[in-house]
Every structure is written in C-alpha cells, then in structure tokens.
Amino acid sequence: MFRPFADWLATTQLSQLFQNQLWVVPTSQSIHIICVCLVFSSAIMINLRLLGVGVKGRSISQLSSSLVPWMWGGLCVLLLTGAVQTIAEPVRQFVTPAFWAKMGMIIVVVSMTAVFARKVRANAARWDAAGSRPASARAFAIGSSILWILIIVCGRFIGYTWAFYA
Amino acid sequence: MSLDSLLMWIQDLPLAAAVRGETAGSEWLFPIIETLHVLTLTVVFGSIVMVDLRLVGLTSRGSSISRLTDETLPWTWTSWVLSAITGTLLFMSKAVTYYGNFQFRMKFVFMALAAVNMLIFHFGAYRKVAQWDTAVPPTSARVAGALSIAFWVAVIFFGRWIGFTT
C-alpha cells in the first residue's frame, strides 16, 4: 500500500536532491544518533531513579524538569533528521516492518512520557517520595525503558531488513 | 609478524568469520553486535555529555558536579567496556579494511583526543572541584567540557561514516 507512495516520493525533486548529495544521508544519520544518545540516556536516568537504582542525589521532579526538555528538543531533531532520511530513501523505510514497529512504539512511548512529565509537574511532592509514588511509576519505568531499547533495535534493523522486502 | 599479516590473521580467525556471517547460524551476528554497539555507545555519549553540559554551564546549574560525575561515571565506564568489546568484534570481521579506512582512523584519533582531554581535566581543574562544585566552573573546566562534546561528536560522525565507506 505504501510502496506506490514511496516510489513516487523517491522521484520528487527534494528526494533526488538528497540522493545526489552523497553527504546528506550520512550526516543526517550521525545527527540522528547523537540525538538518540541524549533522549535515551535521559530516559534511562529518569527510569533508574524511579526504580530506586542510582541517581539518588536528585529527586524525580528535579530530574524530570531538567531532562525532559532535552528529550523534547532531541525528539524534534530526531523527527527532522528522520524525515530527511525518509525523503532521501523512502522505499528503504516504508517496506520494512521494522520501520512501522519503530513508529508505533515511538507514538506509545512519547505519549507515556508526556503524561508522566505532566503528572510529575502537577504533583511533585507525591512523586518525589518513594512511599507515595503511584504504583504505575514502576510499570512506566520498566515499560518505557524496554520500548526505547526496542526502538533503537528496530531503527538499526531498518538498514538490515529492508532489502528483503523491497 | 608484520602488521598486515597480523590483521590477516585476526580476520581469518573462526570468530571473525562468524561475525561476518560465514558460519551456519551466524548470518545475523553482525547486525546484532552492531545494534549492541549502538545501544551501548548511546549511554557512553549520553552520560558524558550530561557532565560536559553541566561543566559548560548549559544544564543543571547550581547542582553538584562531583555528585553528577559519581552518578554517571559507573554507567559511562560499563557501557564503554561493552562498546569496546562489541567494537572489537566488528573490527575483527574486516580488520584489513577497517585498519586502512580513513574514517576509522579518524574515529580513533578523536577518541584519543577525548581521552587526553579527560586526563588533563581530571588531574587539573577537577582536583580542586570542591571549590567550585556547585558554582560556575573555572574556564579550564568549561573548555574541557566543550572540547569533550566536540571530540565525541566527531567520534560518532566518523563512526557512522565508516559504514558508508567500507
């Protein structure tokens, strides 16, 4: 279903421009990886703190307010560089289930993170004390960590699987 | 034994052949190891940049730097060791090609620069960290933080570029 769209997108002027400038895709991917580092490390630090492993020096609300803005900034750049890579090589992206799995998981984890950050902002005291933290905090920490790891795995596997489906 | 024959010897090891996917059942070994390399390097870079950004003064101003390094360093070193192991396995698979690759060499030049920068910081400004732990770091520490970000960004760029040039 997406194949005709991908084939059309590959013929557009913008896609042709990106394809002909050989530095565009590697540069975009490098920036993409750097932002993955920022977003993933921030998420893992917050999640470990929620689970009570390490990062004891700062409270949940402190970590959330200092790291979540970096995560949103990083995600914006990820979206931008991801779009460049998709426009440059649409077929490579759209044919493999790894791409769609990645997109689905991103929607889930970003929604989860937005809800989490909102709740922490609304009631910092409740989240900062281990005793009064909602039971769902642990589930969020474990669930979102697994999702971020799988997102990175799927992202890397787009490059290794697309040729089988093209 | 000359360097060339050493590289050939490494590349001819059964382990190297397995990473290349040449033995039965090892077809997915290279993608899996490379994905683990990406996952671990994200934590290396992310945890280093958190400290660097604090040194430069862009984040967590006023919070203790020594506490931040205590929290992040175990993660940096653990993930660095895992990155080094997975990186070595990837290198073994095409030792001759990687050794001769310009981007591969530059990656190691910049990692060496990052290491020297870290040592200068550790045995220089950081020895008196108690005096500026929660304040604005001295100029030498801020320069070290900025250089560290620049060097590690270069490591990631050249690292990503290896895949496009080998």
Side-chain angles (χ1 to χ4, degrees):
Chain A
M1 165 170 91
F2 287 99
R3 188 58 200 265
F5 173 71
D7 286 331
W8 168 80
L9 189 56
T11 62
T12 58
Q13 268 191 343
L14 189 59
S15 179
Q16 294 287 325
L17 179 75
F18 289 164
Q19 291 169 43
N20 294 332
Q21 300 292 321
L22 293 178
W23 57 270
V24 170
V25 169
T27 305
S28 176
Q29 286 189 2
S30 300
I31 299 168
H32 202 74
I33 295 172
I34 285 163
C35 292
V36 168
C37 297
L38 300 181
V39 173
F40 183 64
S41 297
S42 300
I44 292 296
M45 268 186 105
I46 292 172
N47 291 344
L48 287 172
R49 183 67 184 83
L50 280 171
L51 294 171
V53 188
V55 211
K56 297 268 164 66
R58 273 177 289 171
S59 67
I60 299 285
S61 59
Q62 279 173 326
L63 273 182
S64 173
S65 66
S66 70
L67 293 178
V68 170
W70 286 89
M71 290 177 71
W72 294 146
L75 278 165
C76 288
V77 181
L78 283 169
L79 191 69
L80 213 68
T81 49
V84 168
Q85 287 146 224
T86 303
I87 292 167
E89 302 177 305
V91 174
R92 172 189 151 111
Q93 313 276 44
F94 290 143
V95 294
T96 170
F99 173 77
W100 296 106
K102 178 181 172 180
M103 293 304 122
M105 288 190 290
I106 287 171
I107 292 170
V108 174
V109 82
V110 166
S111 316
M112 280 167 71
T113 306
V115 171
F116 160 80
R118 238 179 104 121
K119 283 188 172 173
V120 172
R121 257 202 317 276
N123 197 344
R126 184 178 180 217
W127 282 78
D128 285 343
S132 63
R133 210 169 290 151
S136 59
R138 283 184 76 83
F140 168 80
I142 295 167
S144 73
S145 298
I146 292 171
L147 281 172
W148 284 119
I149 291 170
L150 289 176
I151 287 166
I152 294 175
V153 171
C154 281
R156 186 56 281 215
F157 267 74
I158 292 171
Y160 286 115
T161 54
W162 74 273
F164 297 113
Y165 300 96
Chain B
M1 193 189 264
S2 72
L3 184 61
D4 282 345
S5 53
L6 175 68
L7 293 169
M8 283 302 287
W9 177 77
I10 291 172
Q11 201 167 304
D12 288 337
L13 290 171
L15 182 59
V19 177
R20 279 196 301 276
E22 286 171 2
T23 50
S26 74
E27 291 81 1
W28 286 97
L29 207 50
F30 192 95
I32 290 167
I33 295 172
E34 214 217 349
T35 302
L36 290 172
H37 192 65
V38 172
L39 275 172
T40 52
L41 79 83
T42 56
V43 180
V44 174
F45 181 81
S47 60
I48 288 175
V49 165
M50 279 180 196
V51 175
D52 291 341
L53 288 170
R54 169 65 183 88
L55 286 174
V56 173
L58 283 174
T59 54
S60 322
R61 267 171 290 199
S63 68
S64 160
I65 287 175
S66 57
R67 199 184 62 207
L68 182 62
T69 55
D70 287 348
E71 284 170 359
T72 53
L73 267 183
W75 292 91
T76 311
W77 282 116
T78 309
S79 46
W80 187 85
V81 168
L82 294 172
S83 277
I85 293 170
T86 49
T88 304
L89 289 169
L90 296 174
F91 171 76
M92 287 172 69
S93 71
K94 286 187 278 183
V96 174
T97 309
Y98 286 136
Y99 179 76
N101 179 263
F102 171 75
Q103 282 75 8
F104 180 85
R105 292 180 173 194
M106 290 306 284
K107 175 179 175 177
F108 280 82
V109 166
F110 278 101
M111 252 197 287
L113 287 171
V116 170
N117 179 55
M118 187 188 73
L119 286 170
I120 292 172
F121 170 68
H122 192 81
F123 293 108
Y126 195 68
R127 287 210 305 192
K128 291 179 183 162
V129 69
Q131 294 170 15
W132 47 270
D133 203 16
T134 56
V136 175
T139 307
S140 63
R142 300 171 71 179
V143 169
L147 283 176
S148 173
I149 295 173
F151 292 154
W152 283 105
V153 165
V155 169
I156 290 190
F157 264 79
F158 283 114
R160 180 59 279 213
W161 235 284
I162 295 169
F164 285 96
T165 51
T166 53

